[in-house]
Amino acid sequence: MQAPNPDSLFPVAGVTLGVAEAGVRKANRKDLVVMSLVEGSTVAGVFTKNRYCAAPVQVCREHLAASSAMRAIVVNTGNANAGTGADGLARARRTCDALAAQMGLSAAQILPFSTGVIMETLPVERIEAGLPAALADLAPAHWAKAAEGIMTTDTLPKAASRQVTIGGQTVTVTGISKGAGMIRPNMATMLGFVATDAAIAPELVQPLVKRAADASFNRITIDGDTSTNDSFVLIATHQAGNAPITALDSAEGAALQEAIVAVARELAQAIVRDGEGATKFISITIEGGRTEDECCQAAYAIAHSPLVKTAFFASDPNLGRILAAVGYAGIDDLDQTLIEMHLDDVHVVTQGGRNPSYREEDGQRVMKQAEISVRVNLGRGAARATVWTCDLSHDYVSINADYRS
């Protein structure tokens, strides 16, 4: 995995980004990002399902419930402003007030986001002091800088971009994300911001962000922990000049959705590839389920198993651990005699037992790869689902043991 090339990230008409060093937690690092959105933009988002959600998540939900006509986004890293009670809410709102005052907006037009250490007081005065520098830095091409400015334990910034022709006009989709640990869909300690200049009916932006999340960020897991701060936001600036899209199931709507999902999926998979201490990228596909939900159940059972994940780290084809995870996934009427399992091109299990032609050296060959696919057929129906995860290494423990120091 490599840092994105700034030249590969297309500016989105109507969006400018500025980055500053505010010293929120550590000096001399980019930790404050402002995104300015052209008047008339539509914003929608999906947020963590963790009931113990952070103050900025609560404020974002309040602001979006009142209107989708946001004009700016502000993100700080180094401090999650979670587990901070009424004082944390006041500080999140004070951040909005400060940015609104400097941009000539109302505080309700600002969406605040925070990521970092939980249960520590947000140093809002440092954010206030850093805002002028972030605003002075606003530029359409600063996507790569912004990707760096929202990192926490990430080792690399994450950004992606696509262009597609819709109605004879070039439509751009560009996004950034952050996340490396406390990653479990619903969402995870992750932030994602995707913008498009496509003209689209405002009421379609919320269902579109939900579809994109379900096909990307809600299909990744690193450690099974659902964060307090997860947020994925979609911005539509309506500046591309195409005839407004009025239905997601139209040809134009499908083309836009495909581009947005492609960007979101690339960002989501980059989070897995950069998982704390990760050495391997693993795709887990469950086929032959009765419903997509039960396929996801089985896939997550495999992806969350410490025994499975450590086996992948060690390149140890102890593949009975995968079968055990499928068995305890909660599919009560599962018939184990119908299960088939492949590890890449290697047919490991047939009719619920070890394939007579399976050789352990073939399994180990696959386990040593940097990218691995696991495919399990439940033999129950036609549904399928894929989840992306990583292995669990010694470094995961070290990174999280030392995170606050």
Side-chain angles (χ1 to χ4, degrees):
M1 181 174 166
Q2 296 180 328
N5 179 352
D7 295 336
S8 70
L9 304 175
F10 304 113
V12 176
V15 178
T16 55
L17 308 94
V19 183
E21 296 180 0
V24 173
R25 182 168 182 83
K26 296 180 180 179
N28 304 315
R29 65 160 294 174
K30 299 179 182 71
D31 60 2
L32 182 62
V33 175
V34 171
M35 299 175 65
S36 176
L37 315 178
V38 68
E39 186 174 4
S41 297
T42 305
V43 180
V46 290
F47 299 90
T48 182
K49 290 185 178 179
N50 191 320
R51 296 295 300 169
Y52 204 83
C53 60
V57 170
Q58 297 175 58
V59 174
C60 282
R61 284 173 169 156
E62 290 173 6
H63 288 185
L64 285 172
S67 171
S68 63
M70 299 297 116
R71 293 294 311 281
I73 286 170
V74 56
V75 190
N76 75 269
T77 186
N79 185 301
N81 195 11
T84 48
D87 179 69
L89 276 170
R91 289 170 183 265
R93 293 191 173 107
R94 182 172 153 186
T95 300
C96 294
D97 291 339
L99 182 57
Q102 295 190 42
M103 295 184 71
L105 304 172
S106 74
Q109 294 176 295
I110 311 293
L111 294 180
F113 298 86
S114 298
T115 182
V117 178
I118 295 172
M119 222 169 71
E120 292 190 0
T121 300
L122 181 73
V124 65
E125 65 285 348
R126 298 178 191 174
I127 294 172
E128 291 171 329
L131 286 174
L135 290 170
D137 190 54
L138 287 172
H142 282 177
W143 285 95
K145 283 181 66 176
E148 185 179 350
I150 64 174
M151 293 166 55
T152 50
T153 58
D154 308 63
T155 65
L156 290 169
K158 301 164 181 68
S161 196
R162 296 285 192 282
Q163 287 188 322
V164 62
T165 301
I166 296 178
Q169 301 294 323
T170 298
V171 167
T172 298
V173 180
T174 299
I176 59 176
S177 67
K178 62 79 50 182
M182 200 182 276
I183 298 296
R184 162 66 164 97
N186 288 328
M187 315 251 304
T189 205
M190 61 135 288
L191 300 178
F193 305 95
V194 173
T196 179
D197 53 9
I200 180 172
E203 65 271 16
L204 297 182
V205 180
Q206 183 64 51
L208 185 52
V209 73
K210 179 66 166 60
R211 291 187 188 185
D214 285 343
S216 58
F217 294 109
N218 281 344
R219 290 297 178 86
I220 63 172
T221 181
I222 288 174
D223 47 23
D225 275 334
T226 297
S227 166
T228 54
N229 292 59
D230 308 335
S231 306
F232 172 44
V233 169
L234 178 62
I235 302 156
T237 66
H238 314 290
Q239 300 291 301
N242 61 294
I245 296 167
T246 57
L248 293 181
D249 57 359
S250 65
E252 295 80 7
L256 178 61
Q257 179 173 303
E258 182 179 355
I260 289 172
V261 168
V263 167
R265 188 169 287 169
E266 184 175 339
L267 294 173
Q269 291 186 1
I271 288 173
V272 174
R273 295 179 192 280
D274 194 29
E276 291 169 342
T279 68
K280 296 174 182 177
F281 178 85
I282 305 160
S283 299
I284 300 171
T285 298
I286 306 297
E287 303 171 326
R290 287 185 187 158
T291 66
E292 185 176 355
D293 284 346
E294 74 173 23
C295 291
C296 287
Q297 273 182 260
Y300 287 133
I302 296 168
H304 291 155
S305 167
L307 291 177
V308 171
K309 293 164 80 70
T310 50
F312 276 112
F313 172 65
S315 302
D316 175 18
N318 192 350
L319 302 177
R321 294 177 174 183
I322 295 176
L323 293 179
V326 172
Y328 65 61
I331 304 172
D332 293 336
D333 58 344
L334 181 69
D335 184 347
Q336 63 178 294
T337 67
L338 300 179
I339 291 178
E340 304 283 325
M341 184 172 79
H342 286 77
L343 197 64
D344 274 11
D345 61 331
V346 179
H347 193 174
V348 179
V349 172
T350 186
Q351 296 179 343
R354 181 179 177 129
N355 185 353
S357 66
Y358 169 67
R359 299 184 306 160
E360 185 156 312
E361 53 265 38
D362 291 331
Q364 189 167 53
R365 167 179 58 81
V366 176
M367 296 282 274
K368 287 181 177 178
Q369 298 171 178
E371 300 208 6
I372 302 166
S373 68
V374 176
R375 182 162 50 91
V376 178
N377 194 309
L378 302 179
R380 295 162 53 82
R384 72 192 305 272
T386 298
V387 166
W388 300 286
T389 190
C390 59
D391 57 342
L392 190 61
S393 72
H394 306 292
D395 285 345
Y396 177 86
V397 177
S398 298
I399 290 167
N400 282 285
D402 299 337
Y403 175 56
R404 296 205 309 160
S405 58

